[in-house]
Amino acid sequence: MCTAVFRDRIHAALIMTGGLVVLECCVFDILFQNNIVNAGLLELTPIGFFLMLLGQAHVLAESFAETIRKKEETLLQLQASLERERKSELKFLKSQIRPHFIHNALNTILSISRKDVPRSQELLVEFSSYLRGCFDFKNLEDMIPIEKELEFIRSYLSLEQARFGDRLKVRYDIDDQSVRVPPLILQPLVENAVIHGIRPKPDGGNILVYVKRVGDAVKIGVMDDGDGIPPERIEKLIAGEESGRGVGIYNITRRLKKIYHISLCIQNRDTGGLDVSMKLPLNGGRYNAESNLG
């Protein structure tokens, strides 16, 4: 008890005081019964115990009130966290509806329709598929076949290729389509590669979308041959402290951590450009963040 008081434990001093009061009362009563002290017929031990019980009742009441207060604080923090998550998810969904992209896509289709009607009709089908892919899910944590995500990506890239022409070259390296993924987990990375990796280059560039089996996991990612990202910005992007690329990357990282307990792997390529990937377990298990770096 002395150690608890010394370490300033909560209510330790009050409990120790109550114990000392009872001890002093017992000593006094022993001395009184042996006629060593004379204090009439008054015995103090019952009073000491009563005072100690009052102190204990006070401690219990304080502890109960503190527990209720902490639970209320935890509930408020949880509500605030859920509200932040809801706003973040809403922001992510809104980010998929890009007025400039829709405007540019429709202008491209209109321009092509003047000289190549069949091609414009194909692009309208791709545009319809793209819009459906933006909203064709009920929850961002639902699992969909990777092929469905790839169809969405192909529609998006077909529209961008129609716009950029030979400046945008796309390749796919897909050797496993058995994995199921959360919706919109890959498309924002493809869009980042187009907007931030290829579009700034006067001569355009290349994008590779890949799905590769790696042991009991599948590695999914996007490569481009743009200018890459300064290493000091990568952590800021993952933490959501950067605009532009940061919004999509932060939201994907947050979802990966929530579902799989992993993070995105962002690497500058030796030949130039960026490689952004993730390792997802085939069996629905979870990996530590460190295991996602390979």
Side-chain angles (χ1 to χ4, degrees):
M1 184 59 69
C2 291
T3 302
V5 173
F6 179 75
R7 293 180 179 177
D8 198 25
R9 302 295 187 189
I10 186 170
H11 301 309
L14 181 60
I15 295 173
M16 184 174 181
T17 300
L20 290 175
V21 169
V22 173
L23 179 62
E24 290 176 359
C25 290
C26 290
V27 171
F28 177 85
D29 287 349
I30 291 172
L31 295 176
F32 172 71
Q33 291 173 1
N34 288 278
N35 297 318
I36 298 176
V37 297
N38 184 10
L41 299 178
L42 181 64
E43 290 187 358
L44 299 182
T45 299
I47 298 176
F49 274 109
F50 178 73
L51 294 175
M52 184 182 70
L53 289 175
L54 285 179
Q56 292 285 352
H58 174 75
V59 169
L60 290 174
E62 287 286 328
S63 298
F64 181 75
E66 180 68 14
T67 300
I68 295 299
R69 184 185 65 80
K70 288 182 177 180
K71 286 185 176 181
E72 290 177 346
E73 289 181 354
T74 301
L75 181 60
L76 290 175
Q77 291 173 358
L78 179 60
Q79 290 175 340
S81 177
L82 291 174
E83 180 65 17
R84 287 194 300 269
E85 185 172 331
R86 187 191 67 81
K87 289 181 178 179
S88 178
E89 186 170 297
L90 181 61
K91 185 177 181 180
F92 176 74
L93 291 175
K94 286 182 177 179
S95 71
Q96 303 309 305
I97 312 171
R98 297 184 179 274
H100 290 297
F101 171 75
I102 293 176
H103 174 76
N104 291 332
L106 290 175
N107 277 343
T108 299
I109 295 171
L110 179 62
S111 176
I112 292 176
S113 68
R114 293 169 182 165
K115 52 185 178 181
D116 191 345
V117 173
R119 176 57 177 159
S120 67
Q121 291 174 339
E122 292 175 1
L123 291 176
L124 280 174
V125 173
E126 298 290 2
F127 184 65
S128 174
S129 177
Y130 169 80
L131 291 179
R132 184 174 63 251
C134 286
F135 307 103
D136 192 18
F137 54 87
K138 296 179 180 179
N139 192 304
L140 283 176
E141 293 181 23
D142 289 342
M143 294 295 173
I144 62 173
I146 185 66
E147 179 57 28
K148 190 172 183 179
E149 181 81 355
L150 290 173
E151 287 177 2
F152 181 39
I153 290 170
R154 289 188 182 100
S155 296
Y156 167 76
L157 288 175
S158 294
L159 294 167
E160 289 289 48
Q161 283 182 298
R163 177 185 170 199
F164 287 100
D166 293 337
R167 291 182 57 216
L168 176 59
K169 299 178 179 63
V170 179
R171 291 193 302 115
Y172 297 90
D173 186 4
I174 314 296
D175 65 10
D176 193 317
Q177 298 186 25
S178 62
V179 68
R180 297 176 68 85
V181 299
L184 299 178
I185 202 71
L186 189 58
Q187 190 274 340
L189 302 182
V190 175
E191 191 166 343
N192 278 340
V194 173
I195 295 174
H196 302 286
I198 305 305
R199 189 169 67 181
K201 298 179 64 176
D203 297 330
N206 299 274
I207 288 179
L208 171 65
V209 180
Y210 62 89
V211 180
K212 307 292 291 182
R213 182 75 174 266
V214 183
D216 61 348
V218 61
K219 187 174 183 179
I220 304 172
V222 181
M223 290 186 189
D224 66 66
D225 55 4
D227 296 328
I229 299 177
E232 62 272 12
R233 286 188 57 203
I234 291 179
E235 290 187 8
K236 291 183 178 180
L237 285 169
I238 292 177
E241 298 175 2
E242 292 269 353
S243 59
R245 287 183 187 236
V247 174
I249 288 177
Y250 168 72
N251 278 284
I252 292 173
T253 299
R254 180 181 61 83
R255 294 168 64 201
L256 288 175
K257 287 182 177 179
K258 182 177 181 180
I259 300 172
Y260 300 106
H261 290 182
I262 63 172
S263 180
L264 277 176
C265 178
I266 304 177
Q267 296 177 322
N268 285 297
R269 302 171 62 202
D270 295 336
T271 56
L274 207 63
D275 181 1
V276 184
S277 64
M278 64 194 84
K279 271 187 183 178
L280 304 184
L282 289 173
N283 57 4
R286 287 175 172 175
Y287 290 92
N288 292 324
E290 290 80 2
S291 68
N292 195 46
L293 300 179

